[in-house]
Amino acid sequence: MKPRLNSLVADLRATTAENREALAADLYAPEGLRVKMQAAARAGFDHLTVLGPDGLDLRETGAAAAALAWLKGEKIGHRWTARGGGDTTAGTAQDLVIDWRTAEVGGA
């Protein structure tokens, strides 16, 4: 017996959302971002670009929202930038650019 289309669509959507959240949690975990920012600073950079996966937009995930809230709390600048995918079929990627050039030192 074939599964009902509605249950298949619901399953696919749930699987997609679950795996996007997991991927975003790996990319945007605050402790991981801190380590990467410190490494970039030691190399002389005043910014870090976290490359998003080709063809996926993870900006609307809970993990991305939590990372942005953490960065805002730390008074560290951030923005999303669009980048063409690695090949013509991959689509656009959304990269997170973290910038501490204009961050307030010492807090307000």
Side-chain angles (χ1 to χ4, degrees), residues 16 18 21 34 52 54 57 72 86 93 106:
T16 297
E18 180 181 316
E21 282 293 341
R34 179 188 304 272
D54 289 347
D57 185 350
K72 183 177 180 180

Side-chain angles (χ1 to χ4, degrees), residues 22-66:
L23 183 55
D26 286 342
L27 281 174
Y28 308 128
E31 190 53 40
L33 292 177
R34 179 188 304 272
V35 168
K36 290 175 186 173
M37 288 187 298
Q38 289 172 330
R42 282 193 299 275
F45 292 95
D46 53 12
H47 67 282
L48 170 71
T49 301
V50 180
L51 299 178
D54 289 347
L56 291 180
D57 185 350
L58 302 178
R59 294 177 294 175
E60 300 300 321
T61 61

